[in-house]
């Protein structure tokens, strides 16, 4: 099974490496405007194959995406000093309007997974471009809050002394500052969080919860301050999304996709739990949030809708 990765910066290259380490797919094609970068990354990752799984990793051009089941879009431009978020969006939109048609020209059957930030808006834009080719929005998947959800589970599991795979908790809304940690529905070992804490004689004070919230919400800022970019976590998230598509695993993930209405906000793209399988997004689940969480989700969706509106009026 062929996977295409367009954009071979830190995120795209790390995703390819994670796929080799996890044995996802059979062939990975790296495409980048900087062809030498793509060739170098492909060679470096190929040299790791004997230590992991037997995947064919190579650089290519858009025609080499033909037959790909999944194409990850991680290309984009970085924010310049003094540049507003809207200006960055305009420049990345120009990149997408050039690249996405090339992907569909050669790989019209592919599920396209968006990693470029701000991922919610870029996923919405991709769906608009895809519609011009008759491709439904269900075949466009933004990485959304997949990584944020993993961060929440990891930090909460660490706080209560439990393997994070047994922590069931979601982050919904924008992949960004307005995201919503859904504490009210969190459970561990099939027990509501509060019941689990009582059973173990643990407690999570308001201060500890605030620290977890901060660790999830502001993780990227701290990582970027320390080393300049984030890529291991999101590369792993993209690998999991891709595996779930290729294997038709029907997994529930907090990815983003255009949705008719979220928390009263019409036609918006933010993350909710969604069923992901071989045909893309199969179902979307609107969680029974408490009043405070629902209001926060409405604010988050409103921020993204406002950015989409601003882009469309310029």
């Amino acid at each position: 099974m062929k996977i295409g990765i367009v954009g071979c910066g830190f995120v795209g290259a790390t995703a390819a490496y994670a796929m080799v380490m996890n044995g996802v797919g059979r062939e990975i094609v790296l495409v980048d405007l900087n062809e030498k970068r793509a060739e170098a990354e492909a060679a470096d990752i190929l040299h790791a194959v004997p230590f992991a799984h037997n995947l064919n990793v190579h650089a290519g051009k858009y025609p080499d995406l033909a037959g790909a089941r999944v194409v990850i879009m991680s290309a984009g431009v970085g924010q310049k000093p003094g540049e507003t978020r809207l200006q960055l969006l305009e420049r990345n939109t120009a990149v997408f309007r050039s690249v996405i048609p090339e992907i569909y020209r050669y790989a019209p059957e592919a599920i396209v997974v968006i990693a470029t930030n701000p991922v919610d808006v870029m996923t919405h834009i991709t769906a608009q471009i895809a519609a011009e080719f008759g491709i439904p929005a269900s075949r466009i998947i933004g990485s959304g809050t997949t990584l944020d959800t993993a961060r929440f589970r990891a930090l909460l599991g660490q706080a209560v002394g439990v393997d994070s795979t047994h922590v069931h908790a979601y982050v919904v809304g924008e992949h960004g500052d307005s995201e919503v940690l859904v504490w009210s529905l969190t459970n561990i070992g099939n027990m509501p969080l509060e019941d689990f804490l009582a059973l173990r004689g643990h407690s999570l004070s308001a201060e500890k919860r605030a620290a977890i919230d901060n660790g999830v919400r502001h993780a990227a800022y701290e990582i970027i301050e320390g080393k300049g970019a984030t890529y291991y976590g999101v590369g792993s998230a993209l690998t999991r999304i891709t595996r779930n598509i290729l294997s038709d695993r029907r997994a529930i993930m907090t990815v983003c996709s255009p949705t008719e209405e979220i928390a009263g906000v019409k036609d918006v793209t933010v993350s909710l739990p969604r069923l992901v399988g071989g045909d893309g997004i199969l179902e979307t689940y609107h969680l029974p949030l408490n009043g405070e969480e629902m209001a926060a989700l409405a604010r988050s969706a409103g921020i993204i809708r406002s950015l989409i509106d601003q882009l469309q009026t310029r």
Side-chain angles (χ1 to χ4, degrees), residues 155-164 167 188 196 200 202:
L155 293 177
L156 182 54
Q158 186 179 60
V160 301
V162 171
D163 179 349
S164 60
V167 177
I188 300 176
F196 177 83
R200 293 205 65 201
H202 279 284

Side-chain angles (χ1 to χ4, degrees), residues 10 27 44 59-60 66 70 102 107 111 122 164 184 191 195 217 220 243 264 276 294:
F10 285 126
E27 177 184 0
D44 198 10
V70 176
E102 289 298 298
I111 305 293
M122 300 317 300
S164 60
S184 69
M191 289 177 279
D195 292 351
R217 194 180 305 275
R243 185 181 72 173
V276 177
M294 186 63 76

Side-chain angles (χ1 to χ4, degrees), residues 38-275:
E39 291 167 359
E41 293 289 4
D44 198 10
I45 296 167
L46 180 65
H47 300 161
V49 164
F51 304 108
H53 296 272
N54 185 25
L55 274 70
N56 176 13
V57 185
H58 62 93
K61 298 182 180 181
Y62 290 115
D64 297 299
L65 297 175
R69 286 280 309 281
V70 176
V71 175
I72 293 172
M73 176 59 171
S74 55
V77 296
Q79 194 163 10
K80 296 178 179 178
E83 185 176 41
T84 66
R85 191 180 190 190
L86 185 58
Q87 289 171 329
L88 173 63
L89 275 169
E90 288 177 326
R91 292 200 297 131
N92 267 331
T93 297
V95 171
F96 272 49
R97 292 205 175 277
S98 171
V99 172
I100 298 299
E102 289 298 298
I103 292 174
Y104 286 128
R105 179 181 178 187
Y106 296 103
E109 301 302 318
I111 305 293
V112 175
V113 179
I114 308 301
T116 305
N117 279 320
V119 68
D120 305 289
V121 181
M122 300 317 300
T123 301
H124 198 91
I125 290 167
T126 302
Q128 290 178 334
I129 298 170
E132 299 170 8
F133 294 83
I135 295 168
S138 61
R139 298 183 66 83
I140 315 297
I141 302 176
S143 58
T145 57
T146 305
L147 176 55
D148 309 86
T149 288
R151 288 168 174 160
F152 188 13
R153 294 176 179 181
L155 293 177
L156 182 54
Q158 186 179 60
V160 301
V162 171
D163 179 349
S164 60
T165 59
H166 300 291
V167 177
H168 299 281
Y170 291 128
V171 177
V172 298
E174 175 197 14
H175 172 56
D177 293 347
S178 71
E179 64 191 21
V180 183
L181 279 67
V182 184
W183 287 97
S184 69
L185 299 177
T186 295
N187 72 76
I188 300 176
N190 207 34
M191 289 177 279
L193 176 60
E194 299 304 328
D195 292 351
F196 177 83
L197 293 173
L199 188 67
R200 293 205 65 201
H202 279 284
S203 65
L204 275 178
S205 65
E207 291 76 16
K208 288 180 181 178
R209 292 176 190 246
I212 291 172
D213 184 288
N214 183 70
V216 174
R217 194 180 305 275
H218 299 125
Y221 297 120
E222 296 175 3
I223 293 169
I224 290 169
E225 182 181 357
K227 68 172 194 172
T230 67
Y231 37 92
Y232 294 125
V234 69
S236 298
L238 293 167
T239 297
R240 179 63 61 86
I241 293 168
T242 301
R243 185 181 72 173
N244 290 341
I245 295 168
L246 295 181
S247 302
D248 191 24
R249 292 175 68 92
R250 302 178 69 85
I252 296 175
M253 310 187 76
T254 52
V255 294
C256 63
S257 179
T259 306
E260 184 177 343
E261 181 177 341
I262 295 177
V265 180
K266 305 286 187 180
D267 185 24
V268 70
T269 298
V270 294
S271 292
L272 288 175
R274 304 179 196 268
L275 190 65

